[in-house]
Amino acid sequence: MAPDKFKGSLTAVAAAEAIARGVRDRDPRATLRCVPVADGGEGTVEAVVGAGFDRRRAVVRGPTGNEVDAAFAIRDQTAVIEMAEASGLGLLHGAAPAPLTATTYGTGQLIRAALDAGARDVVLGIGGSATTDGGAGMAQALGARLLDSRDEQLGAGGAILQDLTRIDTSALDPRVADTRFTVACDVSNPLVGPHGAATVYGPQKGATPHDVEVLDAALTRYARIVRRDLGVDVAQAPGAGAAGGLGAGAIAFLRADLASGVELLRETVGFADALVGADLVITGEGSLDEQSLSGTAPVGVAGAAAAAGLPAIAVCGRVSVTPAQLAEVGLVRAWSLLDLEPDQDQARAQAGALLTRLAGQAISMQWADTTEEPERTASKT
């Protein structure tokens, strides 16, 4: 059982448990393994906790300066941090966005908390941000000083970067240099320009056309100072524009590598090991559509299953792709909750119970379509 979240209805963990109940109802002899998955965006911490990581909490500064109770996950010396926990749009709670002043400072505090907990290998998921500060706030929380012409530390947000004159990293947390950072990132936008952080994503965070111009100019200056003082060119680096430029900040201050979120999180939770001895992989998400085919977590799961020679099926909130498209990404078949409950609002409200029913039906049909069921004495579903 390796589903992603059903956005607005079920976490990946809850979805995996619902699927497991359905399979167990139809096939009590089956050995089940739940490995919820994520792509680095919202729900990533919840998913890796469901896969065996420990949840830790820290009080950090939210995107608009308010205190928030944020979570990260750790196992051994590997930590998984979801920037949306500290700097995400969801933390605004209906309040007006602050496109010019929202900060990633809390994400830096979460990184520091993970280092305090013993992490030396950090996976940073950067989806769902409320910020366009180039990761400047994150760097400041870790000890970097971003200074203006009076040698005073800059305030919060992206717009203030237009006053940046010098970067001093002499007080950057020394543990950063001894830690491997990998950013889960599935976009390739540069930091600045027509495809950059401010232009493409700023309007989603409340930026007006004028705000976009201000932010892009400020990030351009930031990139120039970063190149001069840190020796890193982030202006056009692929992925640097992710999460309002947090990708750029991670590259510049953490020397982070950027990797596919789906593949990175799959590796982090040990998905390949979970496939050993399996007969069938069941994945799913809220909506399996053409956008999913470009590389969401369930498609990554299906690809890994196919590479291991295993069939994979999907149980989803809704399915809007053809059987041929399913086959192209390694899925044998997909079922939709709307097959059981056509009313979308009702399907969303009853997602857990419907998913259990759907998984039971799917497993029965899957076994019926094969010549024989697997030998239960040595197999896992």
Side-chain angles (χ1 to χ4, degrees):
M1 271 57 61
D4 197 355
K5 64 185 177 297
F6 283 51
K7 190 171 183 179
S9 301
L10 300 168
T11 65
V13 173
E17 292 171 347
I19 295 169
R21 286 193 297 271
V23 174
R24 190 172 290 113
D25 287 346
R26 293 299 178 100
D27 194 346
R29 298 171 297 165
T31 301
L32 310 181
R33 182 176 294 174
C34 290
V35 188
V37 295
D39 60 7
E42 181 185 355
T44 293
V45 166
E46 186 72 23
V48 298
V49 168
F53 279 63
D54 294 326
R55 188 194 309 275
R56 302 288 179 87
R57 308 204 73 88
V59 176
V60 301
R61 188 184 303 178
T64 56
N66 54 311
E67 286 192 345
V68 298
D69 182 19
F72 66 96
I74 190 166
R75 183 171 66 188
D76 301 325
Q77 290 188 311
T78 299
V80 176
I81 294 172
E82 182 183 327
M83 71 91 65
E85 282 277 320
S87 312
L89 275 171
L91 298 174
L92 297 179
H93 301 300
L100 300 179
T101 58
T103 178
T104 54
Y105 195 92
T107 296
Q109 290 176 301
L110 266 188
I111 293 172
R112 189 183 288 276
L115 297 177
D116 290 344
R120 292 301 177 267
D121 188 351
V122 175
V123 175
L124 178 60
I126 60 173
S129 76
T131 58
T132 313
D133 75 344
M138 174 206 70
Q140 290 171 315
L142 290 168
R145 300 177 69 225
L146 278 67
L147 305 168
D148 63 16
S149 59
R150 295 171 295 181
D151 236 24
E152 295 180 357
Q153 179 86 286
L154 294 183
I160 197 70
L161 293 172
Q162 61 193 337
D163 295 333
L164 180 64
T165 300
R166 183 168 67 90
I167 297 173
D168 176 8
T169 58
S170 61
L172 187 70
D173 192 317
R175 296 172 297 181
V176 168
D178 298 324
T179 302
R180 183 178 75 162
F181 291 91
T182 312
V183 174
C185 175
D186 289 306
V187 302
S188 58
N189 300 73
L191 179 62
V192 298
H195 303 292
T199 305
V200 176
Y201 301 112
Q204 301 172 10
K205 304 168 189 182
T208 66
H210 179 260
D211 293 339
V212 167
E213 291 181 9
V214 169
L215 289 167
D216 190 60
L219 290 173
T220 298
R221 181 177 182 84
Y222 172 65
R224 187 165 65 249
I225 303 300
V226 164
R227 184 179 59 205
R228 186 195 69 194
D229 292 356
L230 305 184
V232 183
D233 190 351
V234 296
Q236 297 299 319
L246 181 56
I251 294 169
F253 294 94
L254 307 179
R255 295 301 193 264
D257 295 316
L258 274 60
S260 162
V262 175
E263 295 178 8
L264 179 59
L265 270 298
R266 204 170 62 208
E267 177 184 340
T268 301
V269 301
F271 187 71
D273 293 337
L275 293 179
V276 176
D279 296 305
L280 177 69
V281 176
I282 306 176
T283 188
E285 63 181 336
S287 178
L288 183 61
D289 51 32
E290 290 203 2
Q291 184 176 346
S292 304
L293 303 179
S294 64
T296 60
V299 168
V301 165
L310 296 173
I313 62 175
V315 282
C316 303
R318 63 180 179 180
V319 178
S320 57
V321 292
T322 67
Q325 289 173 311
L326 292 174
E328 286 178 4
V329 296
L331 284 167
V332 175
R333 190 168 177 180
W335 289 264
S336 168
L337 297 186
L338 298 179
D339 295 335
L340 300 180
E341 174 50 74
D343 185 291
Q344 293 192 31
D345 291 336
Q346 287 298 314
R348 190 175 294 110
Q350 303 172 40
L354 290 171
L355 189 56
T356 294
R357 284 177 53 196
L358 189 65
Q361 293 181 15
I363 199 73
S364 294
M365 295 179 69
Q366 177 65 20
W367 292 150
D369 287 343
T370 59
T371 56
E372 60 180 15
E373 292 188 27
E375 292 293 332
R376 300 302 176 195
T377 56
S379 67
K380 293 180 176 69
T381 298

